[in-house]
Amino acid sequence: MVGQLTIKVLGELNVTQQGQLLPLPQSKKTRALLAYLAVVGRAQRREHLCKMFWEVPDDPRASLRWSLHKLRPIVNTEGHVRLHADHNSVLLSPQTVEVDFKGMASLRPADLDRLDTERLESLAATFRGEFLDGLCLPHCPNFEAWRLCHRDITLRVHMEILRALVRRLQDRPERVNVYSLVLDRLTNEIAAVDRPEQWPEPSVSGVSNGSRDVPLRSLPPSQPGSAFISRNFETDVPWPAVTPSKRSQEIRFCKTADRVTIAYAVCGRGSPIVRAAHWMSHLQYDWESPVWTHWIDALSEKTKLIRYDERGTGLSDWIAEDISFAAMIADLESVVDAAGLDRFTLLGVSQSCAVSVAYAVRHPERVSGLILYGGFVKGWRKRRDSHEVATHEAMTALIREGWGQNNPVFRHLFTAMFIPGADEVQMDWFDELQRISVLPSNAGRLHEAFGEIDVSDVLSQVTIPTLVLHARKDIVVPFQCGREFATGIPGARFVDLDSANHILLANEPAFERFVREVTRFVAETA
């Protein structure tokens, strides 16, 4: 097409117009921004781009404007406006830009079998090097995680193309040797990536049989023991910061029936326990936090722990039309199916206690034991306390107006409610979790959705062993809400924890008791 712009990312980034190589800006961040917009191929929020490439106090919005100014003369040529930017978002129009990565990401082994040899050789020639070769931004961990993941995706696709060619050209040794040498090099690169023993090897294609997620390693060999990240070939979402750790987790993605991408993480080994998603989580940020680390470590010490971020939050899709109780149950169903779990312990925390109860009633054959901590049977609106309703409506307004501001004063109100016993470091971390894990609009929508929850009619239908725990002085979810679970579920055992924290902290006796009770319960029911 006349005016078509070609952006190549399979190797060193380059941009051509009708075969003519165009000069790129000197700034690596500006070049990385161009590559990111080209590969993602849809509108990106300015706030997200600022967090990915720039840090406060460097005035990220001004830096983004400067980079866009440098990119416009490159991509907006011959009268074609390809780069669109308004106050809220930025889009590099995919209809007028050809990106070499696009066709590669969707290839499957079955597709390669249908292509003729000439086409396969053409695909192999597309790879000029690794994904965005040389465009490393060590001080932009979100971009780096995204780049490394895409590097591994393309590396594995390249290997599959080469394998197909080697099979096809067995009778042409002069040609097959070239592809075999490249394939050997790529195989060695894959083998060099550190992999924890507890995770099964992926299939030759990198695609797990029967699973909707694609476990692909995305960390370089220079970071052994770091968190592993994987992704669905079809998904483009913000990537977490890569932080070295003595532990390891694997982050995967799955699709729900309404096409929302849910991020879930797996760590530890043993009988599985699924922690249903609760408000304000971020799989990678929680991993190194002073508020959630002790939970993750304790729950994964003798079990395989599966956690996931709720739709609209964390690493799951932030754009979701349906944020309802029914959607929350469906998300749990999708994660359990994607993880291939036949039978497991289900842990509900806060509002996910009701989600867990609803799931257990629907799928009693899959849940060996049900653990409910800090939850409520009826949401704040359904409890029909006029004072409580007025308070929560005011909180919803505060969330929508003040949640996303750099000044944490609004969020600190919620921190003081959730963890009143926290020290300054823990409170600062929780303040930041609120800001990075969810948009103010989504936080408001979720808070409203929690108010409409009501599982009182199905409590008597729970037929599996149930353990209910609740902090005695919890002001986020009143103590009587936990008792309501215990009195409504036949045979449920109730544990009263001496704490005022909605999220139990590592140094309090209540958390030690929580761990003892949960460990014993899992051993008895798994």
mmCIF file of all heavy atoms in Angstrom, residues 411-439:
data_model
loop_
_atom_site.group_PDB
_atom_site.id
_atom_site.type_symbol
_atom_site.label_atom_id
_atom_site.label_comp_id
_atom_site.label_asym_id
_atom_site.label_seq_id
_atom_site.Cartn_x
_atom_site.Cartn_y
_atom_site.Cartn_z
ATOM 1 N N ARG A 411 -5.727 7.604 50.094
ATOM 2 C CA ARG A 411 -5.482 6.168 50.210
ATOM 3 C C ARG A 411 -5.073 5.784 51.623
ATOM 4 O O ARG A 411 -5.338 4.670 52.081
ATOM 5 C CB ARG A 411 -4.410 5.736 49.200
ATOM 6 C CG ARG A 411 -4.784 5.993 47.747
ATOM 7 C CD ARG A 411 -3.791 5.357 46.794
ATOM 8 N NE ARG A 411 -2.428 5.816 46.989
ATOM 9 C CZ ARG A 411 -1.932 6.937 46.468
ATOM 10 N NH1 ARG A 411 -2.684 7.704 45.704
ATOM 11 N NH2 ARG A 411 -0.673 7.292 46.685
ATOM 12 N N HIS A 412 -4.419 6.708 52.310
ATOM 13 C CA HIS A 412 -3.944 6.418 53.663
ATOM 14 C C HIS A 412 -5.114 6.152 54.613
ATOM 15 O O HIS A 412 -4.981 5.401 55.579
ATOM 16 C CB HIS A 412 -3.090 7.577 54.181
ATOM 17 C CG HIS A 412 -2.262 7.210 55.378
ATOM 18 N ND1 HIS A 412 -1.184 6.357 55.306
ATOM 19 C CD2 HIS A 412 -2.369 7.557 56.684
ATOM 20 C CE1 HIS A 412 -0.655 6.205 56.512
ATOM 21 N NE2 HIS A 412 -1.366 6.919 57.366
ATOM 22 N N LEU A 413 -6.259 6.762 54.323
ATOM 23 C CA LEU A 413 -7.456 6.494 55.102
ATOM 24 C C LEU A 413 -7.795 5.005 55.056
ATOM 25 O O LEU A 413 -8.101 4.388 56.086
ATOM 26 C CB LEU A 413 -8.630 7.322 54.559
ATOM 27 C CG LEU A 413 -10.028 6.944 55.053
ATOM 28 C CD1 LEU A 413 -10.167 7.245 56.541
ATOM 29 C CD2 LEU A 413 -11.097 7.696 54.266
ATOM 30 N N PHE A 414 -7.721 4.416 53.868
ATOM 31 C CA PHE A 414 -8.025 3.005 53.714
ATOM 32 C C PHE A 414 -6.927 2.135 54.328
ATOM 33 O O PHE A 414 -7.202 1.093 54.914
ATOM 34 C CB PHE A 414 -8.226 2.676 52.239
ATOM 35 C CG PHE A 414 -9.396 3.390 51.633
ATOM 36 C CD1 PHE A 414 -9.244 4.632 51.033
ATOM 37 C CD2 PHE A 414 -10.661 2.838 51.686
ATOM 38 C CE1 PHE A 414 -10.322 5.295 50.492
ATOM 39 C CE2 PHE A 414 -11.745 3.495 51.150
ATOM 40 C CZ PHE A 414 -11.583 4.733 50.551
ATOM 41 N N THR A 415 -5.676 2.562 54.190
ATOM 42 C CA THR A 415 -4.569 1.816 54.789
ATOM 43 C C THR A 415 -4.742 1.712 56.291
ATOM 44 O O THR A 415 -4.553 0.637 56.882
ATOM 45 C CB THR A 415 -3.228 2.502 54.458
ATOM 46 O OG1 THR A 415 -3.051 2.534 53.040
ATOM 47 C CG2 THR A 415 -2.064 1.763 55.094
ATOM 48 N N ALA A 416 -5.112 2.815 56.918
ATOM 49 C CA ALA A 416 -5.285 2.823 58.371
ATOM 50 C C ALA A 416 -6.419 1.914 58.812
ATOM 51 O O ALA A 416 -6.420 1.397 59.939
ATOM 52 C CB ALA A 416 -5.548 4.254 58.846
ATOM 53 N N MET A 417 -7.392 1.703 57.937
ATOM 54 C CA MET A 417 -8.485 0.787 58.249
ATOM 55 C C MET A 417 -8.058 -0.669 58.061
ATOM 56 O O MET A 417 -8.367 -1.527 58.882
ATOM 57 C CB MET A 417 -9.690 1.090 57.360
ATOM 58 C CG MET A 417 -10.356 2.423 57.628
ATOM 59 S SD MET A 417 -11.596 2.821 56.374
ATOM 60 C CE MET A 417 -12.733 1.445 56.555
ATOM 61 N N PHE A 418 -7.342 -0.952 56.973
ATOM 62 C CA PHE A 418 -6.983 -2.329 56.651
ATOM 63 C C PHE A 418 -5.894 -2.879 57.576
ATOM 64 O O PHE A 418 -5.943 -4.041 57.959
ATOM 65 C CB PHE A 418 -6.519 -2.424 55.196
ATOM 66 C CG PHE A 418 -7.638 -2.554 54.208
ATOM 67 C CD1 PHE A 418 -8.354 -1.452 53.786
ATOM 68 C CD2 PHE A 418 -7.985 -3.796 53.692
ATOM 69 C CE1 PHE A 418 -9.394 -1.565 52.880
ATOM 70 C CE2 PHE A 418 -9.024 -3.933 52.783
ATOM 71 C CZ PHE A 418 -9.734 -2.810 52.378
ATOM 72 N N ILE A 419 -4.871 -2.063 57.870
ATOM 73 C CA ILE A 419 -3.762 -2.544 58.703
ATOM 74 C C ILE A 419 -3.404 -1.480 59.755
ATOM 75 O O ILE A 419 -2.322 -0.880 59.702
ATOM 76 C CB ILE A 419 -2.528 -2.917 57.851
ATOM 77 C CG1 ILE A 419 -2.253 -1.851 56.757
ATOM 78 C CG2 ILE A 419 -2.683 -4.285 57.238
ATOM 79 C CD1 ILE A 419 -0.977 -2.118 55.975
ATOM 80 N N PRO A 420 -4.287 -1.255 60.730
ATOM 81 C CA PRO A 420 -4.008 -0.227 61.745
ATOM 82 C C PRO A 420 -2.773 -0.532 62.578
ATOM 83 O O PRO A 420 -2.174 0.381 63.156
ATOM 84 C CB PRO A 420 -5.282 -0.238 62.607
ATOM 85 C CG PRO A 420 -5.900 -1.583 62.378
ATOM 86 C CD PRO A 420 -5.581 -1.917 60.956
ATOM 87 N N GLY A 421 -2.361 -1.803 62.629
ATOM 88 C CA GLY A 421 -1.186 -2.157 63.421
ATOM 89 C C GLY A 421 0.111 -2.120 62.645
ATOM 90 O O GLY A 421 1.157 -2.530 63.166
ATOM 91 N N ALA A 422 0.090 -1.615 61.413
ATOM 92 C CA ALA A 422 1.277 -1.630 60.566
ATOM 93 C C ALA A 422 2.280 -0.561 60.962
ATOM 94 O O ALA A 422 1.917 0.475 61.546
ATOM 95 C CB ALA A 422 0.871 -1.440 59.104
ATOM 96 N N ASP A 423 3.552 -0.799 60.625
ATOM 97 C CA ASP A 423 4.560 0.234 60.822
ATOM 98 C C ASP A 423 4.581 1.142 59.590
ATOM 99 O O ASP A 423 3.818 0.960 58.636
ATOM 100 C CB ASP A 423 5.935 -0.378 61.082
ATOM 101 C CG ASP A 423 6.423 -1.285 59.963
ATOM 102 O OD1 ASP A 423 6.016 -1.086 58.787
ATOM 103 O OD2 ASP A 423 7.217 -2.202 60.234
ATOM 104 N N GLU A 424 5.466 2.130 59.595
ATOM 105 C CA GLU A 424 5.487 3.137 58.520
ATOM 106 C C GLU A 424 5.813 2.516 57.160
ATOM 107 O O GLU A 424 5.213 2.871 56.141
ATOM 108 C CB GLU A 424 6.511 4.227 58.850
ATOM 109 C CG GLU A 424 6.524 5.376 57.860
ATOM 110 C CD GLU A 424 7.478 6.486 58.262
ATOM 111 O OE1 GLU A 424 8.027 6.419 59.374
ATOM 112 O OE2 GLU A 424 7.667 7.428 57.462
ATOM 113 N N VAL A 425 6.750 1.573 57.138
ATOM 114 C CA VAL A 425 7.123 0.936 55.877
ATOM 115 C C VAL A 425 5.947 0.165 55.296
ATOM 116 O O VAL A 425 5.649 0.250 54.091
ATOM 117 C CB VAL A 425 8.331 -0.011 56.087
ATOM 118 C CG1 VAL A 425 8.595 -0.841 54.828
ATOM 119 C CG2 VAL A 425 9.571 0.793 56.458
ATOM 120 N N GLN A 426 5.264 -0.594 56.129
ATOM 121 C CA GLN A 426 4.121 -1.376 55.665
ATOM 122 C C GLN A 426 2.993 -0.473 55.178
ATOM 123 O O GLN A 426 2.352 -0.755 54.160
ATOM 124 C CB GLN A 426 3.632 -2.289 56.794
ATOM 125 C CG GLN A 426 4.610 -3.403 57.130
ATOM 126 C CD GLN A 426 4.282 -4.074 58.450
ATOM 127 O OE1 GLN A 426 3.802 -3.439 59.392
ATOM 128 N NE2 GLN A 426 4.559 -5.371 58.544
ATOM 129 N N MET A 427 2.754 0.623 55.897
ATOM 130 C CA MET A 427 1.698 1.545 55.480
ATOM 131 C C MET A 427 2.037 2.216 54.154
ATOM 132 O O MET A 427 1.176 2.356 53.277
ATOM 133 C CB MET A 427 1.435 2.592 56.566
ATOM 134 C CG MET A 427 0.668 2.052 57.764
ATOM 135 S SD MET A 427 -0.131 3.356 58.708
ATOM 136 C CE MET A 427 -1.197 2.382 59.789
ATOM 137 N N ASP A 428 3.283 2.634 53.991
ATOM 138 C CA ASP A 428 3.695 3.254 52.730
ATOM 139 C C ASP A 428 3.530 2.272 51.573
ATOM 140 O O ASP A 428 3.086 2.650 50.480
ATOM 141 C CB ASP A 428 5.157 3.721 52.811
ATOM 142 C CG ASP A 428 5.318 4.953 53.673
ATOM 143 O OD1 ASP A 428 4.298 5.591 53.995
ATOM 144 O OD2 ASP A 428 6.464 5.273 54.034
ATOM 145 N N TRP A 429 3.900 1.023 51.824
ATOM 146 C CA TRP A 429 3.764 0.016 50.761
ATOM 147 C C TRP A 429 2.300 -0.183 50.390
ATOM 148 O O TRP A 429 1.958 -0.266 49.214
ATOM 149 C CB TRP A 429 4.361 -1.311 51.216
ATOM 150 C CG TRP A 429 4.245 -2.343 50.141
ATOM 151 C CD1 TRP A 429 5.130 -2.608 49.151
ATOM 152 C CD2 TRP A 429 3.132 -3.211 49.929
ATOM 153 N NE1 TRP A 429 4.638 -3.592 48.331
ATOM 154 C CE2 TRP A 429 3.415 -3.982 48.782
ATOM 155 C CE3 TRP A 429 1.923 -3.416 50.597
ATOM 156 C CZ2 TRP A 429 2.544 -4.935 48.295
ATOM 157 C CZ3 TRP A 429 1.051 -4.359 50.109
ATOM 158 C CH2 TRP A 429 1.362 -5.116 48.968
ATOM 159 N N PHE A 430 1.432 -0.252 51.394
ATOM 160 C CA PHE A 430 0.026 -0.488 51.109
ATOM 161 C C PHE A 430 -0.608 0.712 50.407
ATOM 162 O O PHE A 430 -1.466 0.554 49.530
ATOM 163 C CB PHE A 430 -0.731 -0.809 52.401
ATOM 164 C CG PHE A 430 -2.032 -1.508 52.177
ATOM 165 C CD1 PHE A 430 -2.054 -2.830 51.777
ATOM 166 C CD2 PHE A 430 -3.239 -0.854 52.358
ATOM 167 C CE1 PHE A 430 -3.256 -3.498 51.567
ATOM 168 C CE2 PHE A 430 -4.443 -1.501 52.151
ATOM 169 C CZ PHE A 430 -4.456 -2.826 51.753
ATOM 170 N N ASP A 431 -0.171 1.916 50.775
ATOM 171 C CA ASP A 431 -0.608 3.115 50.051
ATOM 172 C C ASP A 431 -0.284 2.979 48.567
ATOM 173 O O ASP A 431 -1.109 3.256 47.695
ATOM 174 C CB ASP A 431 0.091 4.374 50.598
ATOM 175 C CG ASP A 431 -0.486 4.838 51.925
ATOM 176 O OD1 ASP A 431 -1.555 4.336 52.315
ATOM 177 O OD2 ASP A 431 0.145 5.694 52.565
ATOM 178 N N GLU A 432 0.945 2.557 48.284
ATOM 179 C CA GLU A 432 1.384 2.452 46.894
ATOM 180 C C GLU A 432 0.668 1.313 46.171
ATOM 181 O O GLU A 432 0.357 1.426 44.980
ATOM 182 C CB GLU A 432 2.904 2.240 46.856
ATOM 183 C CG GLU A 432 3.504 2.170 45.458
ATOM 184 C CD GLU A 432 3.377 3.468 44.663
ATOM 185 O OE1 GLU A 432 2.946 4.490 45.239
ATOM 186 O OE2 GLU A 432 3.705 3.461 43.466
ATOM 187 N N LEU A 433 0.404 0.214 46.865
ATOM 188 C CA LEU A 433 -0.331 -0.890 46.256
ATOM 189 C C LEU A 433 -1.673 -0.411 45.719
ATOM 190 O O LEU A 433 -2.082 -0.773 44.617
ATOM 191 C CB LEU A 433 -0.553 -2.006 47.268
ATOM 192 C CG LEU A 433 -1.533 -3.110 46.826
ATOM 193 C CD1 LEU A 433 -0.973 -3.892 45.646
ATOM 194 C CD2 LEU A 433 -1.867 -4.043 47.977
ATOM 195 N N GLN A 434 -2.369 0.400 46.490
ATOM 196 C CA GLN A 434 -3.663 0.905 46.062
ATOM 197 C C GLN A 434 -3.537 1.693 44.760
ATOM 198 O O GLN A 434 -4.379 1.581 43.860
ATOM 199 C CB GLN A 434 -4.276 1.776 47.155
ATOM 200 C CG GLN A 434 -4.609 1.022 48.427
ATOM 201 C CD GLN A 434 -4.969 1.960 49.565
ATOM 202 O OE1 GLN A 434 -5.934 2.704 49.482
ATOM 203 N NE2 GLN A 434 -4.194 1.933 50.633
ATOM 204 N N ARG A 435 -2.473 2.475 44.650
ATOM 205 C CA ARG A 435 -2.310 3.334 43.477
ATOM 206 C C ARG A 435 -1.971 2.528 42.230
ATOM 207 O O ARG A 435 -2.507 2.781 41.147
ATOM 208 C CB ARG A 435 -1.216 4.380 43.724
ATOM 209 C CG ARG A 435 -1.094 5.418 42.620
ATOM 210 C CD ARG A 435 0.017 6.408 42.932
ATOM 211 N NE ARG A 435 1.321 5.801 42.842
ATOM 212 C CZ ARG A 435 1.995 5.612 41.704
ATOM 213 N NH1 ARG A 435 1.463 6.008 40.551
ATOM 214 N NH2 ARG A 435 3.175 5.060 41.690
ATOM 215 N N ILE A 436 -1.076 1.541 42.362
ATOM 216 C CA ILE A 436 -0.591 0.844 41.163
ATOM 217 C C ILE A 436 -1.461 -0.341 40.767
ATOM 218 O O ILE A 436 -1.352 -0.831 39.644
ATOM 219 C CB ILE A 436 0.862 0.361 41.327
ATOM 220 C CG1 ILE A 436 0.948 -0.800 42.309
ATOM 221 C CG2 ILE A 436 1.786 1.488 41.710
ATOM 222 C CD1 ILE A 436 2.251 -1.548 42.243
ATOM 223 N N SER A 437 -2.303 -0.823 41.678
ATOM 224 C CA SER A 437 -3.026 -2.058 41.389
ATOM 225 C C SER A 437 -4.361 -1.838 40.706
ATOM 226 O O SER A 437 -4.911 -2.773 40.113
ATOM 227 C CB SER A 437 -3.245 -2.860 42.676
ATOM 228 O OG SER A 437 -4.108 -2.170 43.561
ATOM 229 N N VAL A 438 -4.899 -0.622 40.743
ATOM 230 C CA VAL A 438 -6.240 -0.424 40.191
ATOM 231 C C VAL A 438 -6.473 1.048 39.880
ATOM 232 O O VAL A 438 -6.002 1.932 40.590
ATOM 233 C CB VAL A 438 -7.306 -0.944 41.184
ATOM 234 C CG1 VAL A 438 -7.269 -0.187 42.488
ATOM 235 C CG2 VAL A 438 -8.702 -0.914 40.581
ATOM 236 N N LEU A 439 -7.193 1.307 38.786
ATOM 237 C CA LEU A 439 -7.598 2.670 38.457
ATOM 238 C C LEU A 439 -8.648 3.163 39.447
ATOM 239 O O LEU A 439 -9.439 2.361 39.963
ATOM 240 C CB LEU A 439 -8.188 2.718 37.050
ATOM 241 C CG LEU A 439 -7.246 2.554 35.862
ATOM 242 C CD1 LEU A 439 -8.064 2.430 34.581
ATOM 243 C CD2 LEU A 439 -6.307 3.741 35.765
#
